[in-house]
Amino acid sequence: MPELPEVETIRRGLVPLIGTTIESVEIRRSDVINGLIGSRHSHQKGLLAGTAIVGLHRHGKQLAIEGKLGRVVLVQLGMSGQLLVEQIGAAMTAHSHVVWNLADGRRLTFRDPRRFGGITLHDSLKSLREAWANLGPDALEITEAQLRKACTGTRRSIKAVLLDQNAIAGVGNIYADESLFRSGVRPTRRAHRLNERQFLQLADAIREVLNAGVEGGGSTLRDYVGVDGRSGSAQESHRVYGRGGLPCVQCGGALRKTVVTQRTTVYCPGCQP
DNA sequence: CGTGGCCCCTGTGGGC
DNA sequence: TGCCCACAGGGGCCAC
């Protein structure tokens, strides 16, 4: 479900939970949690039972819930993941895998029908930082220099690099196509062959489309729902994503739909030479 | 070692 | 109207 703007919107939606104590945690499907070892008691502890939420962090599309003592629950939403704030006692929807019962009578629910997402436990902020250091720089603030570095020494296409979270963290399929269109770069272009101007324009475009998505409340996805379970209101109009065969907004020519790196890709043959 | 290909899984929307 | 299947925001792992 989420691209970076949705994850950031969810993070902001959860900020009001800071200071709230987690009373207990229900693991309804343990296989969504990576590296569960040890006792039931340690699982509860690792999932922050009995402690307060003290911070909410994001890097790329990953979201971290920080508890007291530096323990961290790292959530990856994958394609269909959701974090929902609900009232304790409300009907539990299908595919609700982990539930944090809060002291204020509400609960935080991790739902993920397709289960491409998951949860990883870290016992310290240091451990989280190390994991995030292995990812590329955050796409929301990507600089031209960082982008150029990610594209150096590889023979892959620029789209493959954009989608590689270890190269740049946070660009998904929609924003890869949107940023490539806005910078006039064909998705299949070898990454190392972009010129100076293209690196600059692409870095600018990535920041712009992601920031626009955040401003729009992360409502750029068809079945995205926020922490309140409602979908976003201001649907951003994508210029190429989902518009294969339709006229290009710049030149009027037909947008071409292909597959690059196993992902549906739409671009304008005229504007992205 | 870098890279492309395959697969994981469920829900849904569009075509027939 | 209803059924079926192609396809979907991601990313880990495996052979080359």
Side-chain angles (χ1 to χ4, degrees), chain A residues 2-273:
Chain A
E3 289 240 14
L4 185 151
E6 286 72 35
V7 179
E8 175 60 17
T9 299
I10 290 166
R11 191 193 69 79
R12 293 181 184 183
L14 296 179
V15 162
L17 297 186
I18 290 175
T20 307
T21 297
I22 296 166
E23 295 214 316
S24 63
V25 185
E26 298 169 36
I27 305 173
R28 300 162 58 91
R29 249 203 103 109
S30 59
D31 63 359
V32 302
I33 305 173
N34 298 309
L36 262 198
I37 39 166
S39 66
R40 182 183 183 80
H41 176 72
S42 68
H43 298 165
Q44 287 283 317
K45 216 169 149 186
L47 284 161
L48 311 180
T51 80
I53 296 170
V54 301
L56 288 155
H57 315 280
R58 181 194 58 77
H59 186 84
K61 301 176 218 166
Q62 299 190 359
L63 182 66
I65 304 169
E66 178 192 357
K68 276 190 177 169
L69 308 175
R71 288 188 184 278
V72 174
V73 171
L74 179 63
V75 180
Q76 285 194 250
L77 297 170
M79 290 277 245
S80 60
Q82 303 172 345
L83 281 169
L84 301 167
V85 177
E86 305 165 310
Q87 293 297 321
I88 290 177
M92 194 80 72
T93 44
H95 310 296
S96 295
H97 305 313
V98 179
V99 180
W100 291 265
N101 293 306
L102 308 177
D104 66 2
R106 294 185 295 177
R107 69 185 186 215
L108 178 63
T109 302
F110 172 64
R111 259 196 101 221
D112 186 12
R114 290 178 75 180
R115 278 179 281 129
F116 288 179
I119 289 171
T120 304
L121 307 182
H122 288 270
D123 58 11
S124 68
L125 271 181
K126 183 168 175 283
S127 171
L128 175 71
R129 299 285 173 217
E130 285 167 5
W132 280 357
N134 289 327
L135 296 177
D138 190 78
L140 198 57
E141 295 165 357
I142 190 85
T143 65
E144 185 231 351
Q146 288 172 329
L147 177 63
R148 191 160 11 91
K149 188 182 173 199
C151 293
T152 303
T154 180
R155 297 203 42 76
R156 304 147 89 193
S157 66
I158 182 61
K159 177 156 181 178
V161 172
L162 291 183
L163 293 179
D164 180 354
Q165 302 300 297
N166 294 114
I168 297 162
V171 180
N173 198 40
I174 294 177
Y175 292 102
D177 281 9
E178 291 298 315
S179 59
L180 287 166
F181 173 75
R182 280 159 216 247
S183 52
V185 177
R186 192 169 289 215
T188 49
R189 181 91 179 159
R190 300 297 103 181
H192 71 276
R193 297 204 54 207
L194 269 66
N195 62 36
E196 289 296 310
R197 187 176 53 83
Q198 289 174 318
F199 280 128
L200 188 61
Q201 289 184 339
L202 181 54
D204 286 349
I206 292 168
R207 292 192 312 272
E208 282 169 19
V209 295
L210 291 175
N211 273 297
V214 172
E215 296 303 314
S219 54
T220 54
L221 305 180
R222 193 176 53 238
D223 52 356
Y224 162 75
V225 294
V227 298
D228 58 359
R230 296 186 309 175
S231 59
S233 51
Q235 198 78 0
E236 194 210 355
S237 58
H238 302 298
R239 296 190 189 168
V240 286
Y241 178 80
R243 300 195 63 242
L246 295 174
C248 169
V249 296
Q250 284 182 54
C251 75
L255 296 176
R256 187 173 296 165
K257 180 176 168 182
T258 56
V259 174
V260 179
T261 330
Q262 281 81 243
R263 310 298 298 276
T264 296
T265 299
V266 183
Y267 67 95
C268 174
C271 300
Q272 294 166 268

